[in-house]
Every structure is written in structure tokens, then in C-alpha cells.
Amino acid sequence: MSSQHIRRSLDEDLRYITTQIAAMGGHAERMVEQSVEALTTGDEALARKIIQNDAVLDGLEREIGERAVEILARRQPMAGDLREIVGAIRISGDLERIGDLGKNIAKRSIIIGEVAQLRRLFVGFAALSDLAMEQLKAVLDAYAAQSVDRIASVRDRDREIDAKYTSLFREMLTCMMEDPANITPCTHLIFCAKNIERVGDHATNIAETVYHIMTGEQLPADRPKEDRSHVVGAASAGNGAEKPDRRS
Amino acid sequence: MSSQHIRRSLDEDLRYITTQIAAMGGHAERMVEQSVEALTTGDEALARKIIQNDAVLDGLEREIGERAVEILARRQPMAGDLREIVGAIRISGDLERIGDLGKNIAKRSIIIGEVAQLRRLFVGFAALSDLAMEQLKAVLDAYAAQSVDRIASVRDRDREIDAKYTSLFREMLTCMMEDPANITPCTHLIFCAKNIERVGDHATNIAETVYHIMTGEQLPADRPKEDRSHVVGAASAGNGAEKPDRRS
């Protein structure tokens, strides 16, 4: 093959990988959005549909992984092309996990069912999920556009998700304390909220990977990685006092 | 360079990667073990040490990732060598997450502090953690020995972890219902248990990656991926009745 021909084949391979990642991204987004809808509307049929759909994402991740290794072996890409292939493996892993988190919310939504007392928590829950979905969309757009413009802001906004999650966590604890009947559904709801917070973490991972693909550098400095609900202390849950965060 | 020379250089690179993964594995193991110790003994100083130590694991993951991409570019490895490099990227990601989970347990252990009423839960908690640590050790041994002999059993035993987690989950719900003062510490404890269950999931991921490195094939069939606590229904938490699991 001529070197031009090789270049063209590699470009086709890269385009294929990018398309598959976009497909995974769209699928993962929908799974999370629909799982939140199933939860907040008590739509059990939708929840079951989401649970079944997860297999699609697993299949896509596996396919991208196999294809990526094949491209590495055949085309022996260098520099930016190489980072793009390795990055695709990482991103597909994050998207597969996002799908799992949506599936887990769907499962828990079936268990929670319709609990009138939880309804007031859904406002904060929807706000949390809107934030996380915005982050995910922004980072998938950045990947598709091969642009690093919004990458740093995506990562920084992860702090907002964490703050919202921590405040929702408090509300949910209060809800459990009000009525023991709320304890089981609220525990599942806390996990649902935690799942959404983790969607934000995965979006941040993807942001870091996209930045690395585009620049060859690590996104600089301190990343906001975890929720702060661990600072909601046993004694302070009701009054909002916090221990200082000793995150290293 | 002669082809023999290239082969020798590649072998050295692969050995370096394997050594770094082993170092990460040992570090991640210790973090989780010590976090469980900090939690069950209320050792705050130990917890703070673990939180600080997490940076080591983050650094190792980054270094392995960079080195792996460098090896791919320079040596253009094929077949098993290629799978080994790509596999190392995946495994280091799982080990970094395991370290994060240990760190999160350490943080929560500081908040939980010494709650006498929770002490009885620590028996089940320690049993859960022993199981997960056994899995992790087995899979790291398999990686170091380049052996697939125990891989399938590692994955299958993940079901035991899930079952133990689900039973502990029930116990913790009961504990919360007995006394509202238990709600906040127990919620943190549920997250700690969930973290341990996820250590088991990451061990399973590593098992799958090791199998793929060694054989070039996917570990066949159905993997047990998630806990079953989502089947602990709102109405059934106290009596142990379960809805059927509709996992796809």
C-alpha cells in the first residue's frame, strides 16, 4: 500500500471509532434521562425497557475495544492518532458505566414505585440530573467537534453537581428521620442520586480524556472528584454543620 | 536495531509495566484492607493516612498510561504483547478506582466514628470485605503468574459477594428502622458496604481483562455484575421477601 493509502485507511478507521463512540454517547444519555423519567413518574414499563436496552451499550463497548486493538495492530498509528484510539477505549468504558448507572436507577425505580412522601425530593433530583446531563452532552459535543474550548469548564462544573448532590443527600436523610416507612425507599433514592453524581464523574473522566487526545497533555491541576456527602456527619445531619473536607 | 534487540527492549518494557501493575495492586489492596480496619476499629489516624496515600495510586495510574502509549508508539507490539499493553491500561484504571473506594471508606469512617449500635454490623462487614479481598488477591496473582486457571472461579465467586452485600444491606435497613439516630451513620455504612461490593466488581473486570490478555478471547457468558440490593423492596425490607430479579 502507498503511504497515502495507509493514511486514508487509518482515517476511515478513526472515523468509524468516532461514530461508534457518538452512538454509545447518545445511547448512554438516553438511558440516564429515561431512567430519571421512570423514577420521577413511576413508569415501570419504561424502567423495564431501559434495563433491557443496556445490552446494546455493553455490545458497543466490546466492539469498540476489539476494533481499537485491531487498528493498533494493523495501522500502528502514532502521536495524535494513537492517543485517539487509546482514548476511545477509555471513553467507551466510561460510557458503558454511565449506562450501567442508568440501568441501576431504572431497577431501583421499580422497587421505589410510587411513594407520595418522596415526591418533594424529585424536584432536587431532577435538577441534579439536569446538571449531570448537561455535562455529559457538553463533553460528548467537545469530543465530536474535537474541541477543547469547553473542557475545563465541564470539569469545573462538576463541583456544582457535587454540591447539589450533598444538599439532596441531607434532604433525604431528613426524610428518613421523619418516618421510618421512608427509610427503604429513601435509601434506594440516595443510591439513585449517587448514581447521577457518578455520571458527572464519568463526564469529567471523558473531559480529561478528550483533553489528552487533543493536546497530548494532562488537563492541569486539581480535579473535583467526589461528592462531599461524606462530610455530612452523624451529629450534624439535621443542622447542616460540616466537618472540614480533608480531601488529599 | 536487530529484531532480537527490539524483542529484548519490548520484553523489558512489558516487565516494567507488569511490575508497576503489581505495585499498584499491592497498594490498592492495602488501602481497602486498612480502610476496613479504620472503620471497624474507629482508628481516625489510620483513616487520614489512607486518604493521603491515595495520591500514590493516582500517580501510578497516570504513569502506566503514559508509558503504555509510549510503548505502543515506539515498539508497535502485536498480538499478545499488544493485548498486554492495552490490558495494563484497563487494569490500572480498575486499581485506581479500587483505591478511590478505599479512600472513600476511610473518609466515611471518620464521620461514622464510634457508634456502639453499629458494632454488630461490623461482623458481616468484615466477612464481606474478606471475600472481596480474596477475589482481588486471586486475580492479581493470576495476572502476575500469567495464568487463567482461577479466572472463571474468581468471576463466579462475585455472586457470593453480591449475596453477602444484599444480606448486609437488609441488616443495615433494619438497624436504621430501630433508631432514627442510626440513620445517618448507617447510610454512610451502606455506602461503605457498597464500595466493598464494587471492589468485587473491579476484581471481576480485572479477571476478564487478564483472561483476554492470555487467550485473546472474551471470558464467556453471563457475568454477575451488580448487587441484588435493588430487589430489597420498600414493603419487604423487614421480612426478606424479594421481587424477582429482572436483570437483562
Side-chain angles (χ1 to χ4, degrees):
Chain A
M1 280 197 289
S2 70
S3 74
Q4 215 180 5
H5 188 134
I6 290 174
R7 178 72 238 175
R8 197 160 59 232
S9 307
L10 178 56
D11 284 342
E12 273 164 27
D13 282 336
L14 293 175
R15 207 155 36 234
Y16 177 80
I17 291 277
T18 314
T19 310
Q20 292 301 85
I21 292 279
M24 271 196 92
H27 200 86
E29 254 181 65
R30 263 191 311 283
M31 279 186 71
V32 177
E33 272 169 353
Q34 291 181 341
S35 73
V36 172
E37 189 188 330
L39 175 68
T40 52
T41 63
D43 186 340
E44 187 173 328
L46 179 60
R48 297 207 183 277
K49 205 187 92 189
I50 296 160
I51 294 165
Q52 284 192 331
N53 269 346
D54 185 50
V56 177
L57 220 46
D58 293 346
L60 277 168
E61 188 205 5
R62 192 163 283 206
E63 201 227 313
I64 289 171
E66 283 168 6
R67 185 69 175 250
V69 169
E70 204 185 293
I71 298 172
L72 288 173
R74 279 216 200 142
R75 315 275 184 217
Q76 311 190 324
M78 303 291 282
D81 298 332
L82 176 56
R83 290 198 304 274
E84 199 169 329
I85 304 288
V86 174
I89 296 174
R90 286 190 201 275
I91 293 173
S92 66
D94 281 303
L95 292 173
E96 191 272 334
R97 284 301 300 143
I98 289 174
D100 277 349
L101 294 166
K103 178 176 160 188
N104 188 266
I105 293 172
K107 286 178 176 176
R108 293 187 193 270
S109 79
I110 296 173
I111 302 306
I112 294 173
E114 303 236 30
V115 181
Q117 284 186 283
L118 261 55
R119 202 153 295 278
R120 63 183 155 116
L121 294 169
F122 288 163
V123 182
F125 194 88
L128 176 70
S129 129
D130 287 349
L131 261 181
M133 294 318 291
E134 246 177 63
Q135 295 291 85
L136 181 58
K137 279 183 220 294
V139 82
L140 290 171
D141 287 350
Y143 174 79
Q146 308 216 327
S147 151
V148 294
D149 291 353
R150 294 181 57 200
I151 288 298
S153 75
V154 164
R155 192 190 55 178
D156 295 340
R157 290 200 62 196
D158 198 41
R159 286 182 219 279
E160 288 178 46
I161 296 180
D162 293 344
K164 199 145 221 95
Y165 168 74
T166 301
S167 109
L168 192 57
F169 183 80
R170 278 181 212 286
E171 269 189 76
M172 292 187 282
L173 287 181
T174 307
C175 178
M176 290 200 269
M177 286 172 199
E178 283 168 8
D179 183 351
N182 292 340
I183 287 175
T184 302
C186 254
T187 301
H188 285 293
L189 198 59
I190 287 181
F191 273 110
C192 290
K194 180 71 189 169
N195 285 352
I196 295 289
E197 187 268 335
R198 283 174 59 208
V199 168
D201 286 343
H202 285 288
T204 304
N205 287 346
I206 296 173
E208 290 178 348
T209 304
V210 171
Y211 188 87
H212 184 253
I213 292 174
M214 300 302 152
T215 66
E217 307 285 324
Q218 305 289 348
L219 192 51
D222 209 27
R223 76 172 273 195
K225 201 160 188 189
E226 289 178 53
D227 74 77
R228 289 176 52 88
S229 68
H230 63 275
V231 299
V232 180
S236 67
N239 60 27
E242 286 196 356
K243 283 203 187 187
D245 185 8
R246 305 284 179 128
R247 181 182 309 154
S248 62
Chain B
M1 278 195 293
S2 70
S3 74
Q4 215 180 5
H5 188 136
I6 291 173
R7 179 71 239 175
R8 199 160 56 233
S9 307
L10 177 57
D11 284 342
E12 275 165 24
D13 282 334
L14 292 176
R15 209 157 33 237
Y16 177 81
I17 291 277
T18 314
T19 310
Q20 292 301 84
I21 292 278
M24 271 195 93
H27 200 86
E29 253 182 65
R30 263 192 310 284
M31 279 186 72
V32 177
E33 271 169 355
Q34 291 181 341
S35 72
V36 172
E37 189 188 330
L39 175 69
T40 53
T41 64
D43 187 340
E44 187 172 328
L46 180 59
R48 296 206 183 279
K49 205 186 91 188
I50 296 160
I51 294 165
Q52 284 192 331
N53 270 346
D54 184 50
V56 177
L57 219 47
D58 292 346
L60 276 168
E61 188 206 5
R62 192 164 283 207
E63 201 226 314
I64 290 171
E66 282 169 5
R67 186 69 174 251
V69 169
E70 203 185 293
I71 298 171
L72 287 173
R74 278 217 200 140
R75 315 276 184 218
Q76 310 189 325
M78 303 291 282
D81 298 331
L82 176 57
R83 290 198 305 272
E84 199 168 330
I85 304 286
V86 174
I89 296 175
R90 286 189 201 275
I91 293 173
S92 67
D94 281 304
L95 292 173
E96 191 270 334
R97 285 300 301 145
I98 289 174
D100 277 348
L101 295 166
K103 178 177 160 188
N104 187 265
I105 293 172
K107 285 178 177 178
R108 293 186 193 272
S109 80
I110 296 173
I111 303 305
I112 294 172
E114 303 236 30
V115 181
Q117 284 186 282
L118 261 54
R119 201 153 295 279
R120 64 184 154 114
L121 295 170
F122 288 163
V123 182
F125 194 88
L128 176 70
S129 130
D130 286 349
L131 259 182
M133 294 319 291
E134 244 176 65
Q135 295 291 85
L136 181 58
K137 280 184 220 291
V139 83
L140 290 171
D141 287 350
Y143 175 78
Q146 309 216 329
S147 149
V148 295
D149 290 355
R150 294 181 58 201
I151 288 297
S153 76
V154 163
R155 193 190 54 176
D156 293 341
R157 290 200 63 197
D158 198 41
R159 286 181 219 279
E160 288 178 45
I161 297 181
D162 293 345
K164 202 148 221 94
Y165 168 75
T166 302
S167 108
L168 192 57
F169 183 80
R170 278 181 214 286
E171 268 188 76
M172 292 187 283
L173 287 181
T174 307
C175 179
M176 290 199 267
M177 286 172 199
E178 282 168 10
D179 182 351
N182 291 340
I183 288 175
T184 302
C186 254
T187 301
H188 285 294
L189 197 59
I190 287 181
F191 272 110
C192 291
K194 180 70 190 170
N195 286 351
I196 296 289
E197 186 267 336
R198 284 174 58 207
V199 168
D201 285 343
H202 285 289
T204 304
N205 286 346
I206 297 173
E208 291 177 348
T209 304
V210 171
Y211 188 87
H212 185 253
I213 292 174
M214 300 303 152
T215 65
E217 305 285 326
Q218 306 288 349
L219 193 51
D222 206 28
R223 77 171 272 195
K225 199 161 189 186
E226 289 177 54
D227 74 76
R228 289 174 53 87
S229 68
H230 62 275
V231 300
V232 180
S236 68
N239 61 25
E242 286 196 359
K243 282 203 187 187
D245 185 8
R246 304 284 178 130
R247 181 182 309 154
S248 64

